[in-house]
Amino acid sequence: MTDVVDSDELLRRIQRARACAQQEKRRWRERDEGLRADEPEAAREAAVRTLAYEAVLRVLDEILTPGKAG
């Protein structure tokens, strides 16, 4: 990762990362909801992964719009 990128490219990369994290959060949340009754251990793992992606989203949101999140 020695390529130099300008601020516009960096912003695009952060926005793509945020979109990916949002998609993964939705996917893990849906999996959690689908597994709760039948597979509680797998549902718990999915819930933890959902929380992890929520944390990633909060960080990326703070980078993209500082101070907006309350």
Side-chain angles (χ1 to χ4, degrees):
M1 189 151 189
T2 60
D3 294 341
V4 176
V5 297
D6 65 9
S7 61
D8 289 335
E9 177 61 19
L10 183 58
L11 180 61
R12 282 190 293 275
R13 290 180 184 189
I14 293 169
Q15 289 169 333
R16 281 194 308 266
R18 190 197 179 286
C20 178
Q22 183 68 39
Q23 181 180 11
E24 286 296 308
K25 179 185 127 181
R26 274 193 299 269
R27 188 172 72 88
W28 284 106
R29 180 173 286 148
E30 289 169 4
R31 183 173 175 153
D32 173 27
E33 292 168 357
L35 293 171
R36 279 192 192 152
D38 298 331
E39 299 181 52
E41 188 64 33
R44 191 171 9 265
E45 179 184 348
V48 169
R49 289 178 186 258
T50 300
L51 290 173
Y53 279 106
E54 287 174 354
V56 169
L57 284 167
R58 281 193 301 275
V59 170
L60 293 174
D61 283 343
E62 183 61 28
I63 292 169
L64 291 169
T65 52
K68 183 179 178 185

